Amino acid sequence: YGSAPALGASERLRQKVITLDSTANIEEIPLTNDLCHIAVIWPLLPLTDTASDQPFEDRLYGQHQIYDQLMSIFKRVQGVNEERAPTVWFITHQTQQLFGEVPTATEVNHATIWGFGRTLGMEHPDVKCGLIDIQDKSSDSEICTAILKLANMATHQSETIICGPTTYKPVLKPVSVVGQVPGELSTTIDPDGIYIITGGFGGIGMSIAEWLVSSYHVRAIVLTGRTGPRDEEARRQMAG
């Protein structure tokens, strides 16, 4: 992208950074005490042919290559003392779509990197990672400025889209829901039914469970998830 040399040499960051590209040997990443950030600029391999007529076998082979690279990076940083573990930034190009914009996501071969990064953050909180997607409207200076700002933020931002001078992050916004009054719902909720909520131990899952109980007096709710109740408050809600 042109921003990697600036990111690695910038004095403004005042931290040690390693950038990885197609020539990098992942196994030789020096995990020293002063290493704070690893910037993985995709593609590590020249997988730039994303035309719609690309054979399925080529796409599948490309996904296997990407997965192997991601796992190599993950295994390299896993197990490092959490206090000094570096933040791994996966930097992609044109893989994400901004809400309300004309479709611009073109690098479909690398879009799955975001799925891996999100799962990694949830299942291995000891490995801090961030996802950055760069849109074509961004200049080299805008990209470098945005990445430096993200790296220096006191609160870690896990997902970011850089579009020109503006950065975007995912947020939850309240929306109007048709049928908020129980009698207006098109689907009948049976108080005697059994309702299964996947991911039920998170904030949204617990809120839905509470809503079913308070609004419809549902008696049987099954919560499933990978982690179980996350804190004392969640356990208290389940007991209540």
Side-chain angles (χ1 to χ4, degrees):
Y1 297 114
S3 61
L7 178 62
S10 172
E11 296 180 358
R12 293 171 54 197
L13 191 56
R14 301 184 184 277
Q15 296 172 329
K16 185 173 180 182
V17 178
I18 287 180
T19 57
L20 302 180
D21 56 21
S22 58
T23 64
N25 185 342
I26 296 171
E27 297 301 323
E28 296 180 359
I29 299 174
L31 297 181
T32 57
N33 289 333
D34 59 343
L35 176 62
C36 298
H37 302 276
I38 300 174
V40 187
I41 302 178
W42 235 264
L44 290 180
L45 295 178
L47 302 172
T48 57
D49 181 11
T50 57
S52 58
D53 59 349
Q54 184 180 14
F56 171 77
E57 291 77 10
D58 291 349
R59 287 182 180 271
L60 184 60
Y61 176 69
Q63 291 300 308
H64 286 167
Q65 287 181 299
I66 289 173
Y67 176 77
D68 289 343
Q69 292 163 351
L70 289 168
M71 288 303 299
S72 296
I73 296 168
F74 167 65
K75 290 177 180 178
R76 189 72 181 93
V77 300
Q78 188 184 34
V80 175
N81 186 290
E82 189 171 351
E83 293 182 357
R84 68 178 185 89
T87 301
V88 182
W89 298 93
F90 297 120
I91 304 175
T92 59
H93 174 236
Q94 295 284 120
T95 66
Q96 302 301 304
Q97 179 64 47
L98 286 172
F99 180 76
E101 294 285 328
V102 176
T104 57
T106 57
E107 296 293 333
V108 294
N109 276 347
H110 306 130
T112 52
I113 294 170
W114 278 59
F116 181 94
R118 287 166 176 157
T119 303
L120 177 63
M122 290 187 294
E123 298 190 351
H124 297 276
D126 55 311
V127 179
K128 185 183 292 186
C129 68
L131 297 161
I132 301 174
D133 192 61
I134 297 171
Q135 305 287 301
D136 277 340
K137 298 177 183 178
S138 309
S139 66
D140 289 350
S141 61
E142 290 168 338
I143 294 169
C144 188
T145 299
I147 293 176
L148 288 171
K149 183 178 179 180
L150 288 168
N152 278 314
M153 289 178 64
T155 303
H156 177 62
Q157 176 61 45
S158 59
E159 297 182 22
T160 305
I161 296 177
I162 301 174
C163 186
T166 307
T167 58
Y168 298 84
K169 65 178 182 179
V171 295
L172 294 176
K173 298 178 64 176
V175 297
S176 315
V177 178
V178 176
Q180 289 184 348
V181 179
E184 297 180 1
L185 288 175
S186 58
T187 300
T188 301
I189 295 181
D190 182 2
D192 296 320
I194 300 176
Y195 294 86
I196 300 176
I197 302 176
T198 59
F201 299 108
I204 295 176
M206 295 295 290
S207 295
I208 293 174
E210 288 183 357
W211 174 72
L212 287 171
V213 172
S214 61
S215 298
Y216 298 96
H217 309 290
V218 172
R219 299 181 180 84
I221 299 175
V222 179
L223 304 178
T224 66
R226 289 188 292 258
T227 60
R230 299 180 180 179
D231 51 36
E232 188 60 35
E233 176 63 19
R235 286 187 283 271
R236 183 193 64 78
Q237 289 175 312
M238 290 184 62

